[in-house]
């Protein structure tokens, strides 16, 4: 029963992430491993922190990648900032707001939920009302870009409201970072986490985070110990903090960090504004093609994420069968809906390296073929011309 | 202030880990990323679980890699098995027993410490005494192979004692797995964690774990929720469990898992027994050379780990200067001492791919040169002949 080396197929990843990884990142990850306390590695860590500060548009000292996926980054924010008994306002408009609630409760806090429909942005008025009803709230948490629905909320407005009530704010930017503006300092975000496998075009497994001075103060003056040893920032900072002397905390995922460093160098080379524009451009072309085919976007125009396109599945079409066919015939992955959206939407990612005309045209072509063969009610032959026109109009 | 791609130097890693990574593993990590719910990836996960069962010598269903480094694997064991108020006997004979204590306390448990000298194995009699003094203890935890000192404890004997008092047992095998026997089923271990960057010769960042049926029962019947959402095995199993249907929990670190898969395929090709013998062989040669040079091992002969060699630093020799010189002149990394051993020992790793005659001879040659230049009191010209003789005598 001997197992052999694993050779994955070459897919085109247009789901909610992981997205297509830049080959430069894959090559970087295969460079020789060195020690996590090697002075050369420590210099690389400093560069990585600066590159992340650029990506997050922040001067926050405490800006670094958590050695785990986005969920570990989320939990790092909550376990450090929530103490038992704390009241936290959590805005939910998709799967990940629900996960925030779980985090608050497992830290011994109380979550006050502000609910919006899945597929809509968070309503700032509802947050105002909740803060007025709960003047003892200490934190507000929301998802900037809901990966489960493709809706983007107005982070700047929500942070302002929270600060007026003297709450710190935790923001999930897993799907927005690198794809649409995330301006940590300008918006005044206190704690933010993201992932590497979306618009940064890196492999999954790391979670960039950043904390404001105010958040750091709160963490330093906690009454109780952080419940997680692994995620306790007071300890993690001994390794990721400044200065030549790094204290061993855990063994950093060396080669994964090479990959993230390379992904961020690529982002710096392109420039954030250009990356945002590229995502918007690819999105407009996909949108034009999808609508020409007769399919509909489920998120309102002004709340749509360019990098995550939620498309309604036409009546009578078998969701899983379409995705399986795309994978089998075209090595193309698109995403399913989650929770109440399961079976109702497809999630088409245009993230990072994958946000380009080639992927747009390929996806439209493959989808049209598979849907036609399944006799779905679509307009044939219209998608590509519409996409071409949108690409040209940029 | 533009940052460029990072190109690490090519080091020889003979510290406490990360160890030299097999080039096949680095190549595997650079294979194309696919989705974490891709059916081809799900098949790979099943293979990975079987390969880990082989490495751990267990039939445990719940055997998988945690998506974080060894510290996250440790915390996964504690947060799932400890409930507030639980009493846990923790045997400490180095740094990592202390970390176990932190974990117990942050889970709301009480840690009863059984202390042994750093550099010694855990004394089974002390564990017996502690269990008699604390009949209400629910768990026993110890480190099989102390990475901070190079001492190995008798895991089989300790587990037997704990089971006689009806305690479940958590064992740290971060440094032993793949280097010396770890027999989870034969020894009856209930929860075990390890790392990838030691004797498995993979990059750091993942933590293989395995849980017995008895441990799973305990977890399923907890009175309280696991305090970590990210590490809650009840949730993680929805993704890593059996069956074709995998529920999304977090995005798995795809390419890191390719690397671990390849590392375990290599281990299977060689065979566990051969890998253990190779570590022992390299250790005997290093030992012969080190002693011929006039240096001393600090751990007693029958408690020594072949893969982690703690060598006393001769009087008057500057620890940091020697390590810096080895790195600069030879691109060779050896490890410093931790805690009370800092400045007193070097930790020389012979782990996984790095446990070979080439590394042994290179390390002895480089160390002899640097120590001679620093006028350390060593015997010159004796180390290599002694090592050659030990290699030949295998």
């Amino acid at each position: 029963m001997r197992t052999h080396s694993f050779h994955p197929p070459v897919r085109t990843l247009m789901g909610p992430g992981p997205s297509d990884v830049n080959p430069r990142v894959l090559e970087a990850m295969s460079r020789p491993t060195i020690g996590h306390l090697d002075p050369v590695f420590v210099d690389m860590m400093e560069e990585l922190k600066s590159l992340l500060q650029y990506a997050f548009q922040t001067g926050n000292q405490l800006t670094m990648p958590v050695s785990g996926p986005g969920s570990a980054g989320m939990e790092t924010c909550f376990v450090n900032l929530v103490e038992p008994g704390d009241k936290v306002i959590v805005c939910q408009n998709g799967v990940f707001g629900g996960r925030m609630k779980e985090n608050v409760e497992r830290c011994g806090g109380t979550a006050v939920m502000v609910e919006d429909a899945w597929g809509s942005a968070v309503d700032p008025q509802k947050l105002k009302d909740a803060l007025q009803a709960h003047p003892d709230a200490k934190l507000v948490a929301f998802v900037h870009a809901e990966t489960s629905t493709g809706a983007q909320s107005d982070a700047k407005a929500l942070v302002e409201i929270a600060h007026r009530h003297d709450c710190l704010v935790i923001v999930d930017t897993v799907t927005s970072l690198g794809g649409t503006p995330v301006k940590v300092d300008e918006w005044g975000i206190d704690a933010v986490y993201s992932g590497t496998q979306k618009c940064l075009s890196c492999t999954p497994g790391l979670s960039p985070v950043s904390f404001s001075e105010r958040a750091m103060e709160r963490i330093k003056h906690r009454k109780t110990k952080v419940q997680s040893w692994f995620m306790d920032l007071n300890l993690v900072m001994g390794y990721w903090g400044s200065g030549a002397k790094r204290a061993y905390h855990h063994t950093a995922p060396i080669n994964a960090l090479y990959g993230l460093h390379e992904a961020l160098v690529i982002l710096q080379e392109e420039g954030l504004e250009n990356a945002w524009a590229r995502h918007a451009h690819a999105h407009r072309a996909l949108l034009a093609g999808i609508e020409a085919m007769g399919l509909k976007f489920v998120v309102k125009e002004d709340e749509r994420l360019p990098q995550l396109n939620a498309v309604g599945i036409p009546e009578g079409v078998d969701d899983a069968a379409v995705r399986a066919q795309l994978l089998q015939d075209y090595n193309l992955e698109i995403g399913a809906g989650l929770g109440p959206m399961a079976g109702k939407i497809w999630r088409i990612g245009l993230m990072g390296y994958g946000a380009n005309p080639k992927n747009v045209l390929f996806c439209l072509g493959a989808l049209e073929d598979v849907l036609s063969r399944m006799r779905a009610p679509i307009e044939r032959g219209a998608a590509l011309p519409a996409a071409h026109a949108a690409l040209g109009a940029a």
Side-chain angles (χ1 to χ4, degrees), chain A:
Chain A
M1 213 208 56
R2 193 156 279 281
T3 304
H4 300 285
S5 295
F6 175 68
H7 290 280
V10 180
R11 308 286 202 202
T12 299
L13 301 180
M14 297 184 70
S19 61
D20 277 353
V21 175
N22 191 309
R24 279 174 59 182
V25 171
L26 294 175
E27 184 271 317
M29 287 178 64
S30 68
R31 291 176 193 156
T33 307
I34 60 176
H36 58 284
L37 295 169
D38 192 308
V40 175
F41 187 72
V42 169
D43 288 346
M44 194 283 284
M45 290 164 69
E46 286 303 312
E47 289 185 1
L48 192 44
K49 283 158 65 177
S50 299
L51 290 164
L52 277 179
Q53 286 172 330
Y54 170 66
F56 275 127
Q57 295 283 285
T58 183
N60 285 343
Q61 267 292 315
L62 179 41
T63 302
M64 50 153 238
V66 169
S67 302
S71 312
M74 176 190 282
E75 196 159 318
T76 296
C77 291
F78 283 90
V79 294
N80 280 281
L81 287 169
V82 179
E83 293 205 67
D86 283 357
K87 190 179 270 189
V88 183
I89 312 272
V90 175
C91 305
Q92 176 168 18
N93 61 339
V95 165
F96 295 93
R99 193 172 289 189
M100 286 176 156
K101 175 174 187 280
E102 278 284 340
N103 269 271
V104 170
E105 291 172 354
R106 288 175 193 236
C107 294
T110 307
V112 174
M113 300 305 291
V114 171
E115 307 271 359
D116 277 289
W118 288 42
S120 295
V122 172
D123 179 355
Q125 187 57 49
K126 289 190 186 169
L127 176 60
K128 277 185 206 165
D129 297 345
L131 283 162
Q132 258 155 11
H134 299 277
D136 54 338
K138 295 200 168 160
L139 271 170
V140 167
F142 65 87
V143 178
H144 180 218
E146 247 300 344
T147 321
S148 63
T149 68
Q152 180 161 241
S153 294
D154 185 345
K156 189 177 180 216
L158 296 171
V159 172
E160 264 175 31
I161 295 165
H163 281 178
R164 255 182 264 141
H165 289 80
D166 213 28
C167 284
L168 296 187
V169 189
I170 297 175
V171 184
D172 176 325
T173 64
V174 170
T175 288
S176 45
L177 189 67
T180 44
V182 173
K183 300 182 174 181
V184 169
D185 285 0
E186 191 182 318
W187 298 348
I189 297 172
D190 296 293
V192 63
Y193 60 90
S194 190
T196 49
Q197 76 281 15
K198 312 270 185 186
C199 299
L200 300 181
S201 293
C202 185
T203 57
L206 295 172
S207 177
V209 295
S210 184
F211 294 82
S212 71
E213 277 302 313
R214 232 157 48 118
M216 280 307 292
E217 283 306 304
R218 171 94 52 108
I219 295 167
K220 277 182 198 146
H221 296 99
R222 285 174 61 100
K223 290 184 286 290
T224 56
K225 264 195 188 175
V226 173
Q227 68 191 25
S228 169
W229 185 91
F230 175 57
M231 298 177 193
D232 185 344
L233 288 172
N234 294 302
L235 304 177
V236 174
M237 281 309 285
Y239 179 59
W240 273 100
S242 297
K245 189 78 189 155
R246 304 302 171 105
Y248 163 61
H249 174 256
H250 66 273
T251 304
I254 311 291
N255 293 63
L257 293 168
Y258 294 169
L260 178 58
H261 183 281
E262 188 69 22
L264 292 169
V265 166
I266 294 167
L267 181 64
Q268 191 191 49
E269 284 170 5
E270 180 175 23
L272 268 176
E273 291 78 4
N274 293 330
W276 299 333
R278 181 168 48 76
H279 283 84
H281 183 227
H283 162 73
R284 285 193 299 271
L286 183 76
L287 170 70
I290 289 286
E291 289 189 339
M293 219 186 276
L295 304 180
K296 301 246 174 309
F297 270 54
V298 300
V299 176
K300 302 202 279 201
E301 193 173 341
D302 61 343
E303 296 176 351
R304 274 177 207 155
L305 283 166
Q307 61 271 49
L308 189 64
N309 299 275
V311 175
I313 300 175
E315 200 73 39
V317 169
D318 181 341
D319 167 27
V322 170
R323 287 184 291 107
Q325 208 68 44
L326 287 169
L327 203 62
Q328 187 188 299
D329 295 354
Y330 289 101
N331 273 308
L332 171 62
E333 179 179 272
I334 64 169
L338 284 179
M341 311 292 259
K344 294 186 184 151
I345 61 168
W346 289 310
R347 290 180 296 159
I348 302 180
L350 289 168
M351 296 180 175
Y353 184 67
N356 62 53
K358 177 177 157 193
N359 275 16
V360 170
L361 297 181
F362 170 53
C363 179
L364 289 170
L367 197 60
E368 180 171 317
D369 174 41
V370 168
L371 288 177
S372 301
R373 283 192 274 142
M374 292 191 177
R375 301 173 189 283
I378 59 160
E379 192 72 34
R380 296 187 66 170
L384 290 183
H388 294 148
L391 286 171

